[in-house]
Coordinates of all heavy atoms in Angstrom, one line a residue:
Chain A
G45 N -16.0 33.3 14.3 CA -17.3 33.4 15.0 C -18.1 32.1 14.9 O -18.9 31.8 15.8
D46 N -17.8 31.3 13.9 CA -18.6 30.1 13.7 C -17.7 28.8 13.9 O -18.0 27.8 13.3 CB -19.2 30.0 12.3 CG -20.5 30.9 12.2 OD1 -21.1 31.1 13.2 OD2 -20.8 31.2 11.1
R47 N -16.7 28.9 14.7 CA -15.8 27.7 14.8 C -16.5 26.6 15.6 O -17.3 26.7 16.5 CB -14.5 28.1 15.5 CG -14.5 28.5 16.9 CD -13.2 29.1 17.3 NE -12.1 28.2 17.2 CZ -11.6 27.5 18.2 NH1 -12.2 27.6 19.4 NH2 -10.6 26.7 18.0
L48 N -16.1 25.3 15.1 CA -16.5 24.1 15.7 C -18.1 24.0 15.9 O -18.5 23.5 16.9 CB -15.8 23.8 17.0 CG -14.3 23.7 16.9 CD1 -13.7 23.6 18.3 CD2 -14.0 22.4 16.1
R49 N -18.8 24.5 14.9 CA -20.3 24.4 14.9 C -20.6 22.9 14.6 O -20.1 22.4 13.6 CB -20.9 25.3 13.9 CG -20.9 26.7 14.3 CD -22.1 27.0 15.3 NE -21.9 28.3 15.9 CZ -22.4 29.4 15.4 NH1 -23.1 29.4 14.4 NH2 -22.2 30.6 16.1
P50 N -21.5 22.3 15.4 CA -22.0 21.0 15.0 C -22.8 21.0 13.7 O -23.3 22.0 13.3 CB -22.8 20.5 16.2 CG -23.2 21.8 16.9 CD -22.1 22.8 16.6
P51 N -23.0 19.8 13.1 CA -23.8 19.8 11.8 C -25.2 20.3 12.1 O -25.8 20.1 13.1 CB -23.8 18.3 11.5 CG -22.7 17.7 12.2 CD -22.5 18.5 13.4
G52 N -25.7 20.9 11.0 CA -27.1 21.4 11.1 C -27.2 22.9 10.7 O -26.1 23.5 10.7
G53 N -28.4 23.3 10.5 CA -28.6 24.7 10.1 C -27.8 25.1 8.8 O -27.9 24.4 7.8
D54 N -27.0 26.1 8.9 CA -26.3 26.6 7.8 C -25.2 25.7 7.3 O -24.8 25.7 6.2 CB -25.8 28.0 8.1 CG -25.8 28.9 6.9 OD1 -26.4 28.6 5.9 OD2 -25.1 30.0 7.0
Y55 N -24.6 25.0 8.3 CA -23.5 24.1 8.0 C -23.9 22.7 8.1 O -24.1 22.1 9.2 CB -22.4 24.4 9.0 CG -21.9 25.8 9.0 CD1 -22.2 26.7 10.0 CD2 -21.1 26.3 7.9 CE1 -21.8 28.0 10.0 CE2 -20.7 27.6 7.9 CZ -21.0 28.5 8.9 OH -20.6 29.8 8.9
W56 N -24.2 22.0 6.9 CA -24.7 20.7 6.9 C -23.9 19.7 7.6 O -24.4 18.8 8.3 CB -24.9 20.2 5.4 CG -25.9 21.1 4.7 CD1 -26.7 22.0 5.2 CD2 -26.1 21.1 3.3 NE1 -27.5 22.6 4.3 CE2 -27.2 22.0 3.1 CE3 -25.6 20.3 2.2 CZ2 -27.7 22.3 1.8 CZ3 -26.1 20.6 1.0 CH2 -27.1 21.5 0.7
L57 N -22.5 19.8 7.5 CA -21.6 18.9 8.2 C -20.8 19.6 9.3 O -19.7 19.1 9.6 CB -20.7 18.2 7.2 CG -21.5 17.2 6.2 CD1 -20.5 16.6 5.2 CD2 -22.1 16.1 7.0
G58 N -21.3 20.7 9.7 CA -20.5 21.4 10.8 C -19.3 22.2 10.3 O -19.1 22.3 9.1
T59 N -18.6 22.8 11.2 CA -17.4 23.6 10.8 C -16.2 23.1 11.6 O -16.3 22.4 12.6 CB -17.6 25.1 11.1 OG1 -17.7 25.2 12.5 CG2 -18.8 25.6 10.4
D60 N -15.0 23.5 11.1 CA -13.8 23.1 11.8 C -13.3 24.2 12.8 O -14.0 25.1 13.0 CB -12.7 22.6 10.9 CG -12.2 23.8 10.0 OD1 -12.6 24.9 10.2 OD2 -11.4 23.5 9.1
Q61 N -12.1 24.0 13.3 CA -11.6 25.0 14.3 C -11.4 26.4 13.8 O -11.2 27.3 14.6 CB -10.4 24.4 15.0 CG -9.1 24.4 14.2 CD -8.9 23.1 13.4 OE1 -9.9 22.5 13.0 NE2 -7.7 22.7 13.2
Y62 N -11.4 26.5 12.5 CA -11.3 27.8 11.9 C -12.6 28.4 11.4 O -12.7 29.4 10.7 CB -10.3 27.8 10.7 CG -8.9 27.3 11.1 CD1 -8.5 26.1 10.6 CD2 -8.1 28.1 11.9 CE1 -7.2 25.6 11.0 CE2 -6.8 27.7 12.2 CZ -6.4 26.4 11.8 OH -5.1 26.0 12.1

Side-chain angles (χ1 to χ4, degrees):
Chain A
D46 279 341
R47 69 193 296 265
L48 297 176
R49 284 283 164 90
D54 211 14
Y55 301 107
W56 297 349
L57 293 176
T59 62
D60 65 7
Q61 72 268 33
Y62 302 109

